Amino acid sequence: MLRPLARALSVLLAAPLAAACTQSNPLFIATSGADTTTAASTLDITTDAPGSSAPDPDTGSEGSSAGAPTTSDIEPDPTATTGIDPIDTGIDSDASTGEPPPDTSTGDIGPSTGDPPPEPVVEIVFASLATCVLLNLNFLGYLGPIECETLTEKYDQAAEIGVMILDKSVLAAGGRESRVYIRFEIPAAPADKVLTSATLSVEVSGSPDAGAAWSGDLYLSQPFDANSLKTFAPGGDLMTPDPSPAIPGQASSWQIPVEAIGSAQPLYLGIGALSSDAVAFRSTGASADLHPRLTLTYQ
């Protein structure tokens, strides 16, 4: 991608820099425009960054007409052998006949079954900032968002406004590595709700050459804003590995661990390139509906 720029800038690039053009920053580490060599950092990069019991029969009810088993059709007089009138105990004589208890399985379900779970609450949050930067490389200085997006827009074959490039070695920029940075302003969580899922979606440019076999690794970045990115590219910790290929005109998506997102706090993300087969994403310079978005699900 962006090969026309190699011809357009060939007069600006010194021949001795040809060997340096293949170099790239192997880690998502902090780098500053003040450096004259490849930036280094001691920042650690993590690789780890979705049979019930039936009730007793009613013993106070009237008994059935069937009595205890006998060899005669005539029930014996209980006083005939004892001479004592039977005592009315109020216990149904049929209780010992072994008849099964009444079937209660078809009755109404009691309140012990609980209420159905509440419906989830889904919120869409659009990025407040999404752009790219070009890292310094040997004697080639750092370039901030304006230069990075201007270069990408000028040579994107779709002629789109609001495009950011992700590449290990941007040929048109003298072999500099580019990064993407995205910031979200996370709202307060709904009352009595817990965040259960978070998905980042970033639109790929519609240019035929905008896609690649990868979309990039997602990092939890150190804080930044539009001004700080002009002179400094923050580092970060790996959060979600590359999810899938980047397809022109479609969105690439990453699952974000919910513990990385704080209620009513900014979220700082960075995307690192995997190769020099560049991917072009839509930035916050594009129309609002094409801005990177975060889908938050609360339960």
Side-chain angles (χ1 to χ4, degrees):
M1 179 182 175
L2 305 180
R3 290 186 175 83
L5 183 59
R7 297 190 295 270
L9 299 184
S10 59
V11 296
L12 299 180
L13 302 177
L17 297 178
C21 293
T22 60
Q23 302 179 24
S24 61
N25 193 336
L27 300 176
F28 203 88
I29 59 177
T31 182
S32 170
D35 297 333
T36 59
T37 59
T38 302
S41 171
T42 59
L43 176 68
D44 291 331
I45 302 300
T46 61
T47 58
D48 297 323
S52 63
S53 175
D56 292 333
D58 184 2
T59 57
S61 61
E62 292 294 329
S64 65
S65 59
T70 179
T71 58
S72 173
D73 292 337
I74 300 176
E75 295 181 359
D77 185 352
T79 63
T81 57
T82 63
I84 302 174
D85 292 337
I87 300 174
D88 184 8
T89 62
I91 300 176
D92 190 349
S93 61
D94 291 336
S96 61
T97 60
E99 293 183 358
D103 184 8
T104 59
S105 62
T106 59
D108 295 335
I109 299 177
S112 61
T113 58
D115 296 329
E119 290 294 325
V121 175
V122 178
E123 292 189 0
I124 305 297
V125 182
F126 288 94
S128 59
L129 176 63
T131 189
C132 63
V133 301
L134 293 163
L135 307 185
N136 51 7
L137 177 65
N138 294 332
F139 295 100
L140 295 176
Y142 174 92
L143 296 177
I146 295 177
E147 294 86 353
C148 185
E149 288 201 46
T150 298
L151 181 149
T152 310
E153 292 169 4
K154 184 175 181 180
Y155 294 96
D156 182 35
Q157 295 182 14
E160 297 169 323
I161 297 176
V163 185
M164 50 190 181
I165 188 173
L166 185 63
D167 196 339
K168 271 289 187 182
S169 180
V170 181
L171 182 63
R176 292 176 177 89
E177 177 183 355
S178 63
R179 288 184 189 168
V180 164
Y181 287 96
I182 306 174
R183 172 174 171 160
F184 290 95
E185 313 305 321
I186 306 299
D192 301 323
K193 297 292 182 180
V194 176
L195 182 64
T196 57
S197 174
T199 304
L200 169 68
S201 298
V202 185
E203 197 78 15
V204 181
S205 167
S207 169
D209 295 329
W214 51 273
S215 294
D217 290 338
L218 183 66
Y219 291 80
L220 182 62
S221 173
Q222 298 166 354
F224 60 84
D225 58 25
N227 285 328
S228 68
L229 289 179
K230 293 178 182 179
T231 57
F232 182 78
D237 296 325
L238 180 63
M239 185 165 56
T240 305
D242 175 55
S244 62
I247 302 175
Q250 299 186 24
S252 294
S253 298
W254 294 259
Q255 288 297 121
I256 299 179
V258 294
E259 57 270 18
I261 300 177
S263 177
Q265 297 180 16
L267 176 65
Y268 304 96
L269 302 175
I271 304 178
L274 300 184
S275 79
S276 58
D277 183 12
V279 176
F281 290 116
R282 304 309 301 271
S283 70
T284 44
S287 59
D289 61 315
L290 295 176
H291 290 185
R293 68 184 64 190
L294 198 59
T295 302
L296 304 176
T297 302
Y298 297 89
Q299 191 73 46

